[in-house]
């Protein structure tokens, strides 16, 4: 049987429950723009009615309700959509970095442009063509010197920028490692706090949102796997368990590098950095080095015209050309393989000295030793100091001590100018010989295709990430229109419960103060 004050208790429960709903709605509205926030709802349930089934019960028909209660405040969240978002976010992080790196490589190559390697290469070949028209002209010789220095400086600069990009990517991996460890520590601390709160029987909704947001941010840096344990999230990154409950195992740059090599790091910004450094940058450095080395010393087949006089001691096809063998002057065209511009330059004579002086190495390294690369290639110091050391003639007159260079001969200058269209052997870099210009064009073309593909992948990853996030927001996000509707609904419910309490208060007042007074 209901007590006299039963309805007062029913109204009170309604007021408490509707107040909780109003407060929760206000909390949702306040956090409508908070990153990572999930909307919260009050779970209402009818309170236990009077006269539960038992051996003794009232004879009054039915069960009299006792109002409403709320048993929890829950956040609206779907772990499936969280997993989808993190997977797409990991892919987005990797492709964004790869696209960014390739765009930087395009800037380094600076093609097509009026100041790139292709332009200075053309200037280099053209300067030899101009020199072949007047081999003794000092202006043309200085132009060859300057265009060569421009070419080597351009290659040096590209190499320097590639080294800087490599260093930058390596440093960024270390910086991202620090950021990763910061997120891992935050997740561990939140695990600890969530367990403490929920052991008291409450739902740590806001703390869980903060933890999920930290995982979302972490997923863009490196792929993560999440397992929920009684102690909180267990976070696995790059194949290593980094967080279990409140315990953290810090991640190092070496761990990430090794994980990349082992194939357990497959996405995220860190993956993009290591992949860009070890694949893209390393590949283009190798190709530019190959270009510089082949230009200077790569095998190339040429035809030496009849009448040319080879420097004494020259060896081709196991034949030594010397005065003793009386075969320095070619009686017919000779097809031979020389080692790049350096090898061809050594077959001619300079304008220096009173006696024929064979040309030396045209290109050298900056320190004069080691293999020629894009980073150390330079014009021979002898030529830098005296452009007359550029060999242009392949003819001499006289013999012995009376031998002299035919100064106006341009055979070597023509041969060097013709190397623009000659096919160099680039070794394993290409399956067959090709021109220097075509080789560089292939580098630029490859870079353009890779950048275009990376840009497409980055855009696709961005769209997919946004689409999944929209799906997630449709479930977890705060809709102000919906919250305003709920606000009105709960306000009206509160007002009705208050009006009910007022009405019952009047009934009790009538019962208590207005009955039992007859006959007084």
């Amino acid at each position: 049987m209901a007590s006299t004050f039963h309805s007062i208790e029913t109204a009170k429960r309604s007021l408490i429950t509707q107040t909780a709903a109003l407060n929760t709605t206000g909390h949702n509205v306040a956090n409508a723009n908070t990153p990572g926030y999930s909307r919260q709802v009050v779970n209402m349930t009818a309170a236990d009615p009077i006269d539960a089934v038992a051996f003794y019960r009232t004879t009054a028909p039915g069960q009299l309700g006792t109002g409403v209660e709320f048993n929890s405040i829950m956040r609206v969240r779907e772990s499936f959509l969280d997993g989808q978002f993190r997977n797409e976010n990991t892919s987005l992080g990797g492709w964004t970095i790869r696209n960014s790196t390739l765009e930087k490589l395009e800037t380094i190559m600076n093609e097509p442009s009026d100041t790139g390697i292709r332009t200075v290469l053309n200037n280099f070949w053209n300067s030899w063509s101009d020199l072949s028209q007047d081999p003794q002209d000092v202006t043309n010789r200085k132009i060859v010197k300057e265009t060569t220095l421009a070419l080597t400086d351009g290659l040096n600069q590209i190499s320097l920028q590639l080294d800087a990009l490599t260093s930058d990517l390596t440093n960024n991996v270390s910086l991202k490692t620090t950021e990763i460890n910061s997120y891992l520590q935050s997740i561990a601390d939140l695990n600890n706090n969530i367990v403490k709160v929920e052991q008291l029987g409450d739902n740590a909704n806001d703390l869980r949102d903060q933890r999920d947001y930290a995982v979302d941010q972490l997923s863009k840096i490196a792929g993560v796997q999440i397992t929920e344990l009684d102690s909180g999230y267990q976070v696995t990154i790059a194949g290593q368990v980094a967080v279990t409950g409140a315990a953290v195992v810090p991640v190092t740059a070496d761990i990430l590098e090794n994980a990349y090599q082992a194939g357990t790091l497959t996405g995220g910004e860190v993956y993009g950095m290591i992949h860009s450094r070890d694949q893209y940058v390393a590949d283009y450095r190798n190709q530019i080095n190959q270009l510089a080395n082949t230009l200077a010393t790569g095998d190339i087949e040429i035809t030496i015209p009849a009448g040319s006089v080879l420097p004494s001691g020259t060896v081709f096809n196991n034949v030594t050309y010397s005065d003793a063998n009386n075969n320095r002057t070619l009686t017919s065209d000779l097809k031979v393989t020389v080692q790049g511009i350096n090898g061809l330059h050594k077959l001619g004579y300079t304008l220096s000295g009173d006696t024929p002086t064979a040309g030396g190495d045209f290109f050298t390294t900056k320190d004069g030793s080691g293999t020629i690369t894009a980073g150390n290639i330079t014009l021979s110091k002898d030529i830098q100091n005296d452009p007359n050391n550029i060999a242009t003639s392949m003819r001499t007159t006289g013999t012995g001590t009376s031998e002299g260079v035919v100064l106006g001969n341009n055979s070597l200058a023509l041969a060097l100018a013709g190397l623009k269209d000659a096919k160099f052997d680039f070794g394993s870099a290409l399956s067959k010989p090709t021109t220097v210009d075509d080789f560089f064009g292939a580098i630029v073309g490859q870079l353009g295709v890779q950048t275009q593909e990376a840009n497409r992948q980055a855009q696709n990853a961005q769209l997919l990430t946004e689409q999944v996030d929209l799906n997630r927001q449709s479930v977890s996000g705060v809709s102000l229109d919906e919250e305003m509707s709920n606000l009105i609904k709960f306000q009206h419910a509160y007002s009705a419960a208050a009006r009910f309490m007022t009405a019952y208060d009047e009934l009790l007042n009538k019962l208590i103060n207005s009955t039992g007074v007859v006959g007084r």
Side-chain angles (χ1 to χ4, degrees):
M1 178 179 179
S3 71
T4 302
F5 297 97
H6 166 263
S7 293
I8 292 292
E9 177 65 20
T10 299
K12 184 193 77 171
R13 290 177 178 176
S14 178
L15 290 174
I16 292 172
T17 300
Q18 302 307 324
T19 298
L22 284 167
N23 289 337
T24 301
T25 301
H27 185 53
N28 287 341
V29 172
N31 288 279
N33 296 315
T34 301
Y37 179 80
S38 304
R39 68 185 177 92
Q40 298 177 14
V41 295
V42 175
N43 291 329
M44 301 181 188
T45 182
D48 292 336
I50 293 177
D51 288 332
V53 176
F55 185 76
Y56 294 104
R57 64 185 297 275
T58 180
T59 57
Q63 289 184 314
L64 187 61
T66 59
V68 64
E69 295 176 335
F70 68 97
N71 53 24
S72 64
I73 299 176
M74 302 289 294
R75 65 178 188 148
V76 180
R77 193 95 178 191
E78 284 193 18
S79 58
F80 174 73
L81 291 176
D82 284 339
Q84 276 193 326
F85 174 81
R86 288 162 190 162
N87 288 337
E88 296 300 339
N89 206 28
T90 298
S91 178
L92 173 61
W95 279 112
T96 298
I97 295 296
R98 292 166 70 175
N99 183 51
S100 174
T101 302
L102 287 166
E103 288 178 345
K104 290 177 182 176
L105 286 170
E106 282 192 323
T107 302
I108 290 172
M109 293 301 176
N110 195 25
E111 294 292 345
S113 74
D114 295 332
T115 57
I117 292 297
R118 192 188 299 273
T119 297
V120 294
L121 262 176
N122 285 333
N123 292 340
F124 173 74
W125 299 125
N126 291 338
S127 68
W128 276 107
S129 179
D130 292 341
L131 181 59
S132 69
Q133 297 176 29
D134 188 357
Q136 298 182 75
D137 183 60
V138 66
T139 300
N140 287 336
R141 287 178 171 272
K142 287 184 177 181
I143 290 175
V144 169
K145 167 190 166 183
E146 295 303 326
T147 56
T148 304
L149 287 173
L151 173 59
T152 57
D153 287 346
L155 293 171
N156 295 162
Q157 182 65 16
I158 287 178
S159 180
L160 187 65
Q161 290 175 315
L162 291 176
D163 289 343
L165 183 55
T166 297
S167 178
D168 182 53
L169 290 169
T170 300
N171 291 337
N172 283 342
V173 171
S174 297
L175 292 175
K176 286 297 179 181
T177 301
T178 302
E179 191 174 350
I180 288 172
N181 287 327
S182 176
Y183 281 122
L184 293 177
Q185 187 61 56
S186 295
I187 293 169
D189 292 341
L190 287 166
N191 277 342
N192 188 44
N193 292 335
I194 289 169
V195 169
K196 287 180 180 179
V197 171
E198 295 189 345
Q199 281 178 341
L200 301 176
D202 296 324
N203 294 320
N205 295 323
D206 294 320
L207 294 178
R208 283 181 171 268
D209 282 344
Q210 293 175 28
R211 184 176 64 180
D212 282 328
Y213 184 67
V215 174
D216 289 347
Q217 298 299 103
L218 184 60
S219 68
K220 190 171 185 179
I221 302 173
V224 294
Q225 291 78 45
I226 302 299
T227 304
E228 187 160 11
L229 307 176
D230 292 339
S231 58
Y233 278 175
Q234 181 185 78
V235 180
T236 302
I237 185 168
Q240 171 184 298
V241 176
V243 174
T244 302
V248 179
V249 178
V251 173
T252 66
D254 288 339
I255 288 174
L256 296 175
E257 295 274 2
N258 293 335
Y260 172 81
Q261 298 299 332
T264 53
L265 178 65
T266 57
E269 292 176 338
V270 173
Y271 170 83
M273 291 170 186
I274 299 175
H275 183 85
S276 296
R277 183 196 65 194
D278 294 351
Q279 298 297 321
Y280 298 147
V281 181
D283 178 43
Y284 287 107
R285 180 189 291 106
N286 290 338
Q287 292 192 68
I288 290 296
N289 285 341
Q290 186 67 52
L291 172 67
N293 185 266
T294 301
L295 182 66
T297 63
D299 287 348
I300 179 173
E301 190 177 83
I302 65 167
T303 299
I304 304 175
S308 299
V309 181
L310 300 179
S312 182
T314 302
V315 178
F316 286 124
N317 303 323
N318 296 322
V319 176
T320 302
Y321 295 84
S322 64
D323 290 329
N325 294 333
N326 196 30
N327 61 352
R328 285 181 57 203
T329 302
L330 301 181
T331 57
S332 61
D333 291 349
L334 178 64
K335 182 176 290 188
V336 296
T337 298
V338 297
Q339 282 67 55
I341 290 178
N342 281 358
L344 182 54
H345 190 255
K346 292 176 182 178
L347 299 181
Y349 303 96
T350 71
L351 298 186
S352 300
D354 297 328
T355 59
T357 302
D361 284 333
F362 189 78
F363 293 110
T364 61
T365 59
K366 290 182 177 180
D367 60 2
S369 63
T371 302
I372 290 177
T373 65
N376 63 23
I377 189 172
T378 188
L379 179 62
S380 166
K381 292 296 183 183
D382 291 337
I383 296 176
Q384 290 188 48
N385 295 332
D386 184 2
N388 283 330
N389 286 321
I390 297 175
T392 54
S393 175
M394 298 182 75
R395 297 288 184 95
T396 64
T397 60
T399 59
T401 58
S402 62
E403 184 178 6
V405 178
V406 178
L407 301 179
N409 180 260
N410 64 353
S411 300
L412 185 60
L414 282 173
L416 284 163
L419 293 184
K420 173 180 173 65
D421 300 316
K423 294 185 177 181
F424 288 73
D425 185 358
F426 285 88
S428 59
L430 288 177
S431 59
K432 61 181 181 179
T434 190
T435 66
V436 172
D437 288 0
D438 286 346
F439 183 79
F440 183 72
I443 294 175
V444 174
Q446 175 189 348
L447 178 56
V449 171
Q450 287 180 331
T451 304
Q452 185 180 40
E453 175 62 13
N455 184 56
R456 184 186 69 83
Q457 292 282 12
Q459 288 181 351
N460 286 347
Q462 180 71 43
L463 290 173
L464 289 172
T465 302
E466 290 175 353
Q467 182 180 13
V468 173
D469 192 41
L470 285 174
N471 291 338
R472 189 168 64 161
Q473 288 300 317
S474 69
V475 174
S476 302
V478 175
S479 168
L480 291 178
D481 289 340
E482 183 179 351
E483 297 303 324
M484 291 300 100
S485 176
N486 287 338
L487 189 64
I488 294 172
K489 180 174 66 175
F490 298 140
Q491 180 187 13
H492 285 177
Y494 184 93
S495 298
R499 180 64 187 142
F500 171 64
M501 179 175 281
T502 299
Y504 207 79
D505 176 63
E506 293 175 356
L507 291 176
L508 290 176
N509 179 60
K510 180 60 105 175
L511 176 67
I512 294 171
N513 296 317
S514 301
T515 58
V517 296
V518 177
R520 288 184 184 179

